[in-house]
Amino acid sequence: MNAKQLRELIIRPTLHALNMWSKPAEDLMLGTACQESHCGKYIRQLGCSGTTGAFGVWQMEIATARDIYDNYLRYRPELKAAVEHLRGAGQSIQDALTSNLAYACALARIKYYRDPSAIPDGLLGQAQIWKRVYNTAAGKGTIDEYMTNWARYAK
């Protein structure tokens, strides 16, 4: 997927719709897509089937999406309504994460938003927050890999 179009046509409008836009947040969302799915090359985690694994450009697991609903959006009805508006009527979480770019972007942004740390301006800081918040210490991804994928796909 073209990174410039992903940024301008999906990420930026989605973050504005959620009132969660900032330049660092936009960069982090693009970087996350570059790392997680090679900027849209993969929309399903390789080697997984059914409801297991991660889905979409931001490679989110269903359990993570449910946690966002149960432990965050549940207490923020206006934000939940905005997310549900992006989701569309009748679309399951799995289908929406897989095929609905704005919805998947919104949930990925909220995953980061729940963390109390500010999103850093620079690439290294964003790679570090991706590793800590999105990939976690148990994840296989590395900070160096994030930075390499940013250079490969975001430019």
Side-chain angles (χ1 to χ4, degrees), residues 17-20 72-86 110:
L18 299 175
N19 292 316
M20 292 184 179
Y72 194 78
L73 292 177
R74 176 183 194 179
Y75 304 103
R76 291 157 183 84
E78 289 182 19
L79 181 57
K80 181 179 180 181
V83 170
E84 286 297 294
H85 177 74
L86 294 172
I110 292 167

Side-chain angles (χ1 to χ4, degrees), residues 18 20 29 58 60-76 79-80 83-84 93 97 103-115 133-134:
L18 299 175
M20 292 184 179
M29 295 311 302
W58 285 274
M60 183 172 283
E61 295 176 358
I62 293 172
T64 301
R66 287 195 178 125
D67 177 67
I68 289 168
Y69 273 93
D70 294 345
N71 296 306
Y72 194 78
L73 292 177
R74 176 183 194 179
Y75 304 103
R76 291 157 183 84
L79 181 57
K80 181 179 180 181
V83 170
E84 286 297 294
I93 289 174
L97 287 172
Y103 175 79
C105 179
L107 286 189
R109 176 64 182 104
I110 292 167
K111 171 80 172 153
Y112 286 113
Y113 193 77
R114 293 173 71 184
D115 186 77
V133 174
Y134 208 87

Side-chain angles (χ1 to χ4, degrees), residues 18-61:
L18 299 175
N19 292 316
M20 292 184 179
W21 182 87
S22 69
K23 179 68 165 81
E26 184 178 298
D27 289 343
L28 180 61
M29 295 311 302
L30 181 59
T32 302
C34 289
Q35 170 61 20
E36 293 292 329
S37 69
H38 294 187
C39 204
K41 180 177 180 180
Y42 303 103
I43 59 168
R44 178 70 192 268
Q45 186 175 0
L46 297 175
C48 296
S49 62
T51 59
T52 63
F55 299 88
V57 173
W58 285 274
Q59 294 287 290
M60 183 172 283
E61 295 176 358

Side-chain angles (χ1 to χ4, degrees), residues 94-142:
Q94 178 178 330
D95 289 345
L97 287 172
T98 303
S99 64
N100 185 327
L101 293 171
Y103 175 79
C105 179
L107 286 189
R109 176 64 182 104
I110 292 167
K111 171 80 172 153
Y112 286 113
Y113 193 77
R114 293 173 71 184
D115 186 77
S117 303
I119 299 172
D121 286 327
L123 180 59
L124 176 59
Q126 290 176 13
Q128 291 168 335
I129 202 167
W130 163 81
K131 177 61 183 169
R132 183 175 56 76
V133 174
Y134 208 87
N135 186 252
T136 75
K140 294 180 181 178
T142 68

